[in-house]
Each structure stands twice: as C-alpha cells, then as structure tokens.
Amino acid sequence: MHPLPEPASLPSLLLSSGGWRPEWGRTRAGGMSRAGGMRPPWNQERAPEERLPSATEPGRQWSMVRRMLTAGLLFSLLLGFSLLLVYIFRSCGPGPCMTPVCWDLLARYLASGNTSVAPCTDFFNFACGQAKGTDYSFQALAEENKKRLRRILEAPGSWHLGSGEEKAFQFYSSCMDTDAIEAAGAAPLRQVIEELGGWRISGNWTSLDFNRTLRLLMSQYGYFPFFRAYLRPRPTPPYTPVIQIDQPEFDVPLKQEKEQKIYAQIVREYLTYLNQLGTLLGGEPNKVQEHAFLSISITSQLFQFLRPLEQRRAQGKLFQMVTIDQLQAMELFTAIKNALVSRLRRIPWMDEKTRKEAQNRVTQLQVKMGAPEWALKPSLARQEYNDVGPCPCQLLISPQLLLSPLTRLSGRQSVHPGRSLTNPFLALIQLGPSYLQSFLSCVRSLRARIVQSFLQSFPYHRWQVSPWGVNAYYSIPDHVVVFPAGLLQPPFFHPGYPRAVNFGAAGSIMAHELLHIFYQLLLPGGCPACDTRALQGALLCLKHHYETIPLPNGTFFNGSRTFLENAADIGGLAIALQAYSKRLLWHRGETILPNLDLSPQQLFFRSYAQVMCREPGTQEPQDPHSPPTLRVHGPLSNTPAFARYFHCPHGALMNPSSRCQLW
C-alpha cells in the first residue's frame, strides 16, 4: 500500500488544481479557530512569501477581456450598419442615364459649356461659353427640323396628280433647280417690275397711278412700303378680327437701335446691295447709284416719324382701335399648370377676386401639342392643302406626311368633322413657269387664306405655326396655348431624358407661355383691384435687378422694352422649379447625366441655361427678349435655390443680397 500524503499537503493539492477550498475562520495563535473547536493541523498560517495567489485576480482579467470584446463587437456592428446605410442611400439615389439620347445630350452640354468658369460668377459662360453662332439654341433646333424636312422632300415617291403633296415636291424641286434659276437670270424679276409699271433705271418706265401701284404691291405681292396692314384679333375682349394698321418695317433698322459705327456699316452694306441689284436689272451704274442714294434718303426722312415700340407702349398707344396628350409632354404640362395654380395663391399683390379669376383662366386654358388635330387625318389634310396651299414651299406639305418622325409628340387623335375649304377668295396655286412665279402664286394664295380665316368661323383654333416650328405661343381670342412638335425635341425634351432636363428646358418654356395669360395685369391700369403699390414695387425691383447685371462687354442693359418677357422668364423658371421639386418629392427613379458631376437640381438649372445658349450679339433689334446672358443670369440669380445648390458665396453675381418676387 502506498502511504497517504501528509495532511498538510492536501489543501495545497486542492487549491493548486482549482478545486474546492475550505472556508476556515482566521486562526489565532495556539491553533484554535475563533468559531471554536480544534482547527486542522494543516491549516497553519504560512509566511507571506508562501501564500498562493487570490482567486479574484483571474476574474478581474476575464471581466476586462469581456468588456473589450463587447466594445469591439458593438463597433463592428456600428460600422457594418453605417456601410449598409451608405449602400442603401447610394442605390436609392439618382443613377446615371446610360441611354443613347442621354449620351448625345451630354455631348451637347460638354461642347457648349466651359466648366473652368465658376458657376456662381458667370453661369452663362459655364453653360454656353463654347457655343458658336446660333448653336444649341432655338435656331439650331429649327435648322435640325429643316434638315428633316429636306430629307423628306428629297426622298423619292409618287403622289396623286394635283394633290398637295405633289405640289409641294414640285415646288421644292423648282426651288432647288439652281441651274434653271441662274439660266433665267433677272428676267422673271424684270417681268414683275414691268407689271408694276417698270423702273426708271431699266429704261422701260410707264407712269402709273400711284394708288394703283400701291394696291398691286400690297394685294398681289404682299409688300407694304409705307405702312403695314393686316388682320388680327382685337387686343382686348371680345377679340373680334379687325384691320390693324401699323408703321412700316424698313430693310435698314432704326438708327436709335444701333450704335453709330454699326449703323454706318449697315447703311454702307445696304447701299452696296442696292447698287448690285440695280446693275443686275440692267441699269447704268451712275443712275443706279443715284437712285440708291435717293432710296436711303427717303427712308431716313421717314424714320423721323417712327417711334420705338417701348415708347409707344409707355405712352399707352400700342393699340388704337378704329371702326373700319402625348403622355410625357402632357404630363409635364399638367405639372407646370398645377404649379402655377398653386403659386397664384401666394402672390402678394393680387386681391382675392383677381386671384380666383386668374386660377379659373389657367384651369379653363386649352393646350395643343404636336400638330393640329385635323392634320392627323390624311383625308382632311389633303382637303386642307389641295384647293389652296400656304407659302413658302415647306408649308404646302401635308403635316401627315411630315410628322412621321414627330408622331409620338403630335396632338390628340380626336378630329372635328370635315369641312370644305372651297371659297371664291381662295386662288389655286399655279406652279411655274419659273420659281419666282410659283412663289408669288403662293403669296397670293396665302393672303386669300388669311382673309378667309377671318370671314369664316371655325369650330376650333387655327394654328399660327407649322408643326415643325420651334415657337410656342398663346392665343388671346381662343384662350389656347400651342406647343408645336418641332419644339418638343432634343435638346429641350425627350421621354428618355432625366426629368431635370425636361422640366428645366421644356418646362420653363411652358411656364413662360402660361404667364402670357396675365400680361395685361402688369400693364398700367391692368389690375385696378390689385395692390398697386406692391405690384409697382415688384416691377421696379425687377427692372433694377436686370439693370444691375453687367453684359459681357461691361455695359448694362435698359430693360424697359423687355420687362414683360423678363417677368415671364423669372416666373417661368420659378414655376418650373416648383413643379420639379414636387415631382422629386412624390416620384422616385430620377437619373442624371453620366460624367457631368451635376446633381438633379444642378442639372435642372443647367438645362434651363442650355435653352438660352447663343453667341452674344446675334440678337435681332426687335427681339422683345433680353440678351441671352441676361436671360440666364437674371432668373437664376433671382432664385435662392440656385445659390444653395451651387454653393455660391453671399454677394456673388449669382447670389445677390436682395431678390424680387413678382410671380
């Protein structure tokens, strides 16, 4: 048998193995516990250096480790949750539009813009700095539409004899037959001059009655040398057609509208043109030059009796009365119209009655998009163009034929009952024998058509633009706004574009046209019940706002002639932005253009500026709009959201200290 271990060694074995440890009372000298009884002989107190470590020390270490593990786990969970949130927000945010139309639009933006310019300093340069000539503007879109027409007109095809389509293609062929036109030379024009009594410089002059010559010029050739006369609706209710007589438009602009050096250059070039024309018609150079100087002299004398448009408007003498749905585009327009109705509730200068009347007018407004309703029926289109055709040649073509690339943007399919256009006032188009004679036949036919349109009532609005045109308009007598299919094209609108582009470009144009309904309210005395002081304060603020924005040459612009269009520009942008912001709030799936680094809101403002891109200095003198730089900087600098989204510092050009609220 093995001997048992010494009793004193047993507790050591138990303790060292982590087992049970007896809870003995603290001993006194003499070996007896305080609780009484004999203490075991092996429970003798040891020296301090012989004692074992306490059991609480490993517990403290484990507690510390446990806290560190818990903290690490919580940190890992927090990091993972943060990454998950970032992923979710990125996946829910606007993604890049990768369709071909978006890449084409991106190429347009990159080609016209100058990203090295700070947007808060000069947003027009930022968006349009590289635009040349009329690129990336309404004119560029109109040119693209003309190219489409040309491709259609040059495509081979067979048409019914005497149909409008056949006349259109024949007219276009004669127009493009430059060899025949050059071979005829000045003979067709000389024939017209002979019918009017001849010209002294050509040697064959018959002194006719002045009034007879004037009547021939106006009725047969559509030329008004001393005044303009036309049929238009009255500018005030009941909008019945009246004969309107206005001051003439000369080939040379008013001297007040041009600087002295520019005006002198225009006169020199016009004189050169008259000399060349007279020589071409067979006149002797000396006589031609004499009559050219005489013509300019007479024109200059007539100029002193003309008054600029802004002067007539300021004097209240602009008019003197005498007794003698495509889904996407329609959805966009509906959003714009609803935003305008909502905005009318917050206009401070309107009284309650005027506000309700304004809202009713917007609600009752008719909208036409794409093409006239009758044009979508081939039978009615042929009837419209077979008996009589407008001028020039492209207007002879049936819209049904031309709208094939624009069908998705055309008007609704409902058509009014057919009607006959046969009328004794209407003259059939006679093509030939020369291009000039065909053109003059068009002029006479068109004038007869205009007269008939006022003598015969129609159950619907007759369009004043062609479907492939790019000019929207509001008709006062019919209370209808028209957006032709030619306007609803890239880069202004496309169903595949990001909504920011459609709202910023086409949407702002739609809102601009809607505000034409209320132009009368802004004129003196146009709203007697309104808060006149508040209204005039807003108009003066607007005038001052535009006069403080410098032009590229460092000068400033007098906006008295353009204040109505300025008001529509500022209001149109505000309404379009309100409609787009609401769309972002209630609809998901917004996209942006790839590689442009613009947020949806920034893209909205960029697309608005793109509409106005045009090389400065290419504006017509009679254009009622401000120069393109002002049409960009004026509305954008008056919009607080622009400065917020582009982080413009306070006091920068695009973040002024004060703003105006008209609409």
Side-chain angles (χ1 to χ4, degrees), residues 533-547 660:
R533 178 176 296 180
L535 175 57
Q536 291 303 316
L539 292 175
L540 287 175
C541 177
L542 192 69
K543 182 176 180 293
H544 177 74
H545 175 73
Y546 273 81
E547 289 177 348
C660 310

Side-chain angles (χ1 to χ4, degrees), residues 53 68 157 160 179 184 211 245 250 316 385 433 444 458 473 504 547 574 593 612 621 624:
M68 294 177 63
H160 297 291
D179 292 337
N211 289 330
I245 299 176
F250 297 109
Y385 285 94
R444 299 181 189 112
F458 291 94
Y473 68 91
E547 289 177 348
L593 291 182
M612 310 300 175

